[in-house]
Amino acid sequence: MNEYASKHEYAYDTITMIHAVNEKIQADSNIENIVLDLSCNTGGSAISATFVLSWLLGETTINITNPLSGAKWSATYSADVNLDGEFGGKGDTVQDKNIFCLISPISFSCGNLVPSVLKASNRATILGVTSGGGAAPVHYTSTADGTIFQISSKYVLSVSKNGSNYDIDQGVEPHYHINRPENFYNTEKIADLVRSINEAKFDIENS
């Protein structure tokens, strides 16, 4: 990362990191697989989540539901990942690659939103253990004396299937389970799993 980010704060800037990684991927046509590791992602910025999803899918839609009224609405995003002033162009996405996402019970809130949207898109393969859920955005409020605290919103992040919205609070079930914790961080094991999944897909498509 130091090759791209000389300032300490950039190490925690998702958009800067994705921009740097995207440059390397776009420049190397031999890269076929992308594994996004969210296994220790406890959530945070919805802006970062939609940026990553737009990068992976080319365009992404976030669905929100009010469980009290039944109201639902959607917002669709694209991103200028290569910073050329145009949104959603060929150089802004890696949607033509094989996309994998690694999750665990620690994957919560936005760390749960991203794999939920990826799985619903049917364009990514989810690896690991069922994510930790978390469907309500966080709101900030305060008491009269100025005490600030956080509360869960009345709205629920959802995925859309066949015209209906389903909340993501139950977490994401992976396509392929990784049962041994040490294998989450063994790059050779992950590479072997990705390779075997791709080979199995190839055999099915060509049978």
Side-chain angles (χ1 to χ4, degrees):
M1 188 182 303
N2 290 335
E3 179 182 358
Y4 300 97
S6 58
K7 294 184 178 180
H8 177 73
E9 61 265 28
Y10 288 175
Y12 302 94
D13 184 337
T14 300
I15 292 175
T16 297
M17 287 192 290
I18 295 299
H19 169 73
V21 170
N22 183 65
E23 280 190 329
K24 295 194 71 172
I25 294 173
Q26 299 294 346
D28 188 350
S29 59
N30 292 317
I31 296 176
E32 299 178 351
N33 306 303
I34 295 173
V35 180
L36 177 66
D37 185 356
L38 298 179
S39 61
C40 290
N41 190 305
T42 58
S45 171
I47 294 173
S48 297
T50 54
F51 188 89
V52 171
L53 285 166
S54 299
W55 174 59
L56 294 173
L57 302 177
E59 184 178 89
T60 189
T61 298
I62 304 299
N63 301 283
I64 299 176
T65 303
N66 183 332
L68 299 178
S69 67
K72 56 184 180 180
W73 60 96
S74 303
T76 299
Y77 300 85
S78 58
D80 178 19
V81 180
N82 62 5
L83 304 179
D84 65 354
E86 298 184 6
F87 288 76
K90 183 178 180 181
D92 292 322
T93 180
V94 290
Q95 60 181 320
D96 59 330
K97 308 296 183 181
N98 300 314
I99 308 297
F100 297 84
C101 184
L102 187 62
I103 60 172
S104 79
I106 297 174
S107 308
F108 185 76
S109 189
C110 285
N112 177 63
L113 171 64
V114 171
S116 296
V117 174
L118 288 176
K119 187 172 184 180
S121 74
N122 292 317
R123 293 162 60 189
T125 303
I126 312 300
L127 313 174
V129 180
T130 302
S131 59
V138 175
H139 283 186
Y140 296 86
T141 187
S142 67
T143 62
D145 65 2
T147 302
I148 298 174
F149 58 97
Q150 300 174 341
I151 60 172
S152 295
S153 166
K154 64 180 178 181
Y155 303 116
V156 176
L157 294 167
S158 310
V159 292
S160 180
K161 298 179 182 179
N162 301 319
S164 299
N165 280 10
Y166 298 88
D167 77 67
I168 61 173
D169 202 36
Q170 73 279 2
V172 184
E173 183 76 16
H175 294 104
Y176 295 89
H177 284 265
I178 298 175
N179 294 319
R180 301 184 65 176
E182 62 268 26
N183 289 339
F184 274 72
Y185 311 107
N186 186 323
T187 54
E188 292 184 3
K189 292 283 187 180
I190 297 297
D192 288 342
L193 178 58
V194 166
R195 190 178 303 110
S196 64
I197 292 170
N198 286 338
E199 289 174 354
K201 288 182 178 178
F202 180 83
D203 291 340
I204 292 173
E205 291 171 356
N206 292 275
S207 61

